[in-house]
Amino acid sequence: MREVDLIKRFASLFPAADLSDDAAIIPFSDTNLILTMDMLLEGIHFDRRWCDAYSIGWKAATASLSDLAAMRAKPLALGWSVGIRPDDTEWTLEAARGLADCCARFGCPVVGGDTNRSDCAAIDVVALGTSDHPSRRSTAQAGDALLVSGPLGASLTGLLDLRKHGRTASLTPIHEAHLRPIPRLDFARHETAVHWSAAMDISDGLSADLPKLCAASGLGAQVEPESVPVHPGAKEYALQNDLDPLMIALQGGEDYELLVASSNPDPLIAAGWIRIGQLTSDHGIDWGGVNPPEGYDHFG
């Protein structure tokens, strides 16, 4: 069963929940609380042979802060739970430092958590934010431009290189992109965010995440593959290793860039966004003659 199918079955059990967005929207007083949760598991999301504890803590925070960014939310607080082996105390403290530093950088206090014993390391994060006008995946319109907040593919090539060569003393930009990604809260807070008609973050890869936005809005898309921005380091790595840079950019997950739809893209482009296509009334996605592999699926 694919992850999207499992989520659909969850939705039938939780009728009060809208599971189509990056986070839950909870009306509260004169604003909205935005609630999101993410889990990282050893052996699934990270490998200690090349991923240090500090980076795991940083990435765990980024995953949830990125969801808040996609919802145009201001971070309010973050809590975390960790499952560890009894001899993992120092590893856990270093992961906590990474999580704390990421949260401090982006103005989100860590307010508590829980610990438990586990055969493998597991970190679960819950983040809370506020948004007067949260973005949804389901509110795009046919004809809206599709834009991304930055180049893609760096995290995947960083992972491929770490798997191939192991961890070295100096980290290259693609290693940094994989180990310590940056949530794009800068764009969520920018004045041009009012021009988003729909949004989500790119955590599973553009080829996996764009279909989710299209499905939520009941639309299709026309992608201009020549416009998809490939991270320079990802392009260099791909060409050196006989890989297709465009496929890397389309498939690569954990870039944590934002994908938005907009009926008025010019202010976004002026602020640094890159237009990659537009939404259509037809169902299905036209990738412009390329056939990208599906992005990451936890159960794929």
Side-chain angles (χ1 to χ4, degrees):
M1 179 182 295
R2 297 184 307 157
E3 182 180 14
V4 64
D5 297 319
L6 181 60
I7 291 173
K8 287 179 180 178
R9 297 187 70 173
F10 284 151
S12 68
L13 300 173
F14 310 138
D18 183 346
L19 304 182
S20 64
D21 286 309
D22 287 84
I25 301 173
I26 307 168
F28 182 78
S29 186
D30 59 350
T31 187
N32 299 282
L33 296 177
I34 309 299
L35 179 70
T36 184
M37 288 167 277
D38 285 281
M39 182 187 300
L40 297 185
L41 296 176
E42 183 176 5
I44 302 296
H45 300 99
F46 64 91
D47 190 313
R48 297 194 198 199
R49 288 175 294 177
W50 55 74
C51 198
D52 61 288
Y54 183 95
S55 295
I56 290 303
W58 181 286
K59 182 181 282 191
T62 288
S64 288
L65 293 177
S66 181
D67 286 337
L68 295 184
M71 303 292 289
R72 286 182 63 194
K74 178 182 178 181
L76 183 63
L78 182 144
W80 76 312
S81 298
V82 59
I84 54 169
R85 297 189 296 265
D87 59 351
D88 262 352
T89 301
E90 291 305 316
W91 185 94
T92 306
L93 288 172
E94 192 63 15
R97 291 187 188 97
L99 182 137
D101 284 353
C102 182
C103 288
R105 176 170 173 177
F106 297 104
C108 184
V110 180
V111 295
D114 188 27
T115 58
N116 214 321
R117 178 171 179 159
S118 175
D119 292 334
C120 65
I123 296 177
D124 187 58
V125 170
V126 56
L128 188 67
T130 59
S131 179
D132 293 339
H133 305 286
S135 293
R136 309 290 302 268
R137 297 180 185 178
S138 59
T139 48
Q141 300 292 322
D144 284 354
L146 285 169
L147 306 100
V148 293
S149 58
L152 307 175
S155 179
L156 176 56
T157 50
L159 173 61
L160 293 175
D161 192 60
L162 288 166
R163 283 177 173 172
K164 186 175 182 179
H165 299 293
R167 181 72 180 266
T168 59
S170 60
L171 296 178
T172 68
I174 60 172
H175 297 150
E176 289 278 2
H178 179 69
L179 295 172
R180 300 176 190 177
I182 301 298
R184 299 313 305 262
L185 288 159
D186 53 339
F187 278 119
R189 295 168 177 168
H190 197 271
E191 61 185 8
T192 55
V194 298
H195 298 292
W196 301 3
S197 57
M200 66 180 299
D201 76 337
I202 303 175
S203 54
D204 295 331
L206 184 64
S207 61
D209 289 329
L210 176 56
K212 297 171 189 174
L213 188 146
C214 288
S217 288
L219 299 170
Q222 171 70 57
V223 176
E224 301 162 2
E226 68 279 3
S227 299
V228 174
V230 183
H231 188 281
K235 183 176 182 179
E236 180 182 3
Y237 180 89
L239 294 175
Q240 289 175 349
N241 290 273
D242 198 27
L243 300 171
D244 185 336
L246 177 60
M247 291 299 107
I248 291 289
L250 293 176
Q251 182 186 15
E254 295 189 335
D255 281 316
Y256 296 108
E257 296 292 344
L258 299 178
L259 169 67
V260 304
S262 176
S263 61
N264 184 21
D266 289 346
L268 297 172
I269 293 170
W273 291 79
I274 304 100
R275 178 173 178 152
I276 62 167
Q278 70 176 32
L279 292 166
T280 66
S281 57
D282 299 327
H283 292 285
I285 299 175
D286 182 348
W287 293 97
V290 301
N291 186 26
E294 292 186 4
Y296 184 75
D297 187 315
H298 291 94
F299 302 100

